[in-house]
Amino acid sequence: SFSEAQTAELFKKDTYIKGVKYISNPILNEAHMGITRENDQIKRDSTVDFVTKHINNDDGYEFMRDLYLNFVKDSFCLAHFSSFIKELEKEEDLILFHCSVGKDRVGISTYFFLSILDICEEEKEADFLITNKILEKDTLKIIESLRKDIDSPLLDKTYKELFLVNEGYLNAIKEYISNTYDSFDNFRKEVLHITDEEVKKLKDMYLE
C-alpha cells in the first residue's frame, strides 16, 4: 500500500484516480524484451532497434514463443502470476488490471484466471486472440510509420510477430504445462499455489 504521493510517482504513466488502490505486479519487466518506454522519441528509437534486430535474425516468432515459455518457467514470473490470482480473491468492488499493451502479460494472466474458473478452451483462445482485432488499425499505422526507418520486406511479418498475439504462443504454454505437469490443475496447485478452496471461492465470486 502506498501514500497518494508515492502512488502518483510509481504510476505516473497511468491515469491516477484518487481513492483507488494501485498495486504493482510486473510479471515481466519491459527491459527483458529489450524495449523501453521512457518517452516518445526513446520509445520510437527503441522500437526501431528492437524490430530491426529481429528482422535481421528473422526470429520474431521464436523470440516471442520463448518469451511466453519464460512465463511458465521463470520463478519471478510465476510468483507474480500467483500474486495476481490471489489479488482477485479479495473482496473488492472493482479490479482493473493491465500492462503496457494488454496482450502478453495480461493475456496469460487472464488465460490462467479463466482456466481456474474452468472456462472452455474455445472461449479462452478467442479472448486471447481478440487483441489482434483491437490493435489491427494501430498496427498498420505503426508499420507504415516504421517504413521511414526500416526498409525490409520482413517488416510487416516481424512487427506483427512481436507486437500482436499468435495462437502458437499460447499453444507453447499449454504444451509445456501438459508435458511438465500433466494438467493445468496440477500446474495451478504446484506452481501457482492456488488451492481447491481458493478455486471454489473464485468461482463463487466470478461465476453466476
Side-chain angles (χ1 to χ4, degrees):
S1 186
F2 303 100
S3 69
E4 287 190 11
Q6 289 172 319
T7 299
E9 177 61 24
L10 259 176
F11 297 92
K12 58 188 175 184
K13 296 177 184 177
D14 291 342
T15 299
Y16 175 58
I17 305 171
K18 187 175 182 180
V20 172
K21 180 174 73 172
Y22 287 78
I23 299 169
S24 177
N25 190 34
I27 295 181
L28 182 72
N29 293 324
E30 287 171 359
H32 292 142
M33 288 187 65
I35 188 166
T36 60
R37 299 176 183 272
E38 295 176 40
N39 62 47
D40 289 344
Q41 186 56 49
I42 292 175
K43 177 182 174 181
R44 179 179 175 80
D45 291 345
S46 179
T47 301
V48 169
D49 291 344
F50 182 64
V51 174
T52 299
K53 172 186 174 183
H54 293 290
I55 284 175
N56 292 338
N57 294 333
D58 193 14
D59 69 345
Y61 179 87
E62 289 76 15
F63 172 82
M64 289 303 296
R65 185 178 181 279
D66 288 346
L67 180 71
Y68 272 67
L69 284 172
N70 198 58
F71 286 154
V72 285
K73 292 181 178 181
D74 184 83
S75 58
F76 177 88
C77 298
L78 290 166
H80 283 79
F81 279 124
S82 178
S83 295
F84 163 71
I85 299 298
K86 291 181 184 296
E87 283 296 329
L88 296 180
E89 295 175 25
K90 298 178 181 178
E91 302 287 346
E92 305 285 359
D93 291 333
L94 182 66
I95 297 175
L96 170 67
F97 58 99
H98 70 92
C99 58
S100 297
V101 179
K103 69 183 188 74
D104 303 319
R105 290 169 287 186
V106 159
I108 298 307
S109 296
T110 304
Y111 180 81
F112 287 162
F113 176 50
L114 295 180
S115 296
I116 287 169
L117 297 181
D118 285 332
I119 303 302
C120 74
E121 202 63 34
E122 185 177 293
E123 288 187 39
K124 290 184 293 185
E125 289 178 2
D127 181 82
F128 177 71
L129 292 172
I130 200 171
T131 290
N132 290 346
K133 185 174 182 180
I134 294 170
L135 294 180
E136 184 177 12
K137 289 183 180 179
D138 285 341
T139 296
L140 294 176
K141 288 179 183 177
I142 294 169
I143 289 173
E144 285 306 308
S145 173
L146 289 175
R147 292 194 197 284
K148 301 171 187 175
D149 298 295
I150 302 174
D151 181 17
S152 170
L154 294 177
L155 173 57
D156 287 61
K157 169 182 173 289
T158 303
Y159 185 88
K160 289 175 182 178
E161 287 170 342
L162 295 170
F163 291 97
L164 293 179
V165 295
N166 188 298
E167 190 173 359
Y169 305 157
L170 185 59
N171 286 340
I173 279 182
K174 292 194 288 185
E175 288 169 11
Y176 179 83
I177 290 174
S178 177
N179 291 337
T180 308
Y181 300 98
D182 292 328
S183 68
F184 180 82
D185 266 356
N186 290 338
F187 172 76
R188 181 257 300 171
K189 294 174 187 176
E190 297 173 24
V191 182
L192 297 181
H193 305 296
I194 305 299
T195 66
D196 291 343
E197 291 74 19
E198 288 174 298
V199 170
K200 183 180 183 307
K201 180 179 180 181
L202 287 165
K203 287 181 176 180
D204 289 343
M205 290 176 66
Y206 293 99
L207 298 179
E208 293 183 357

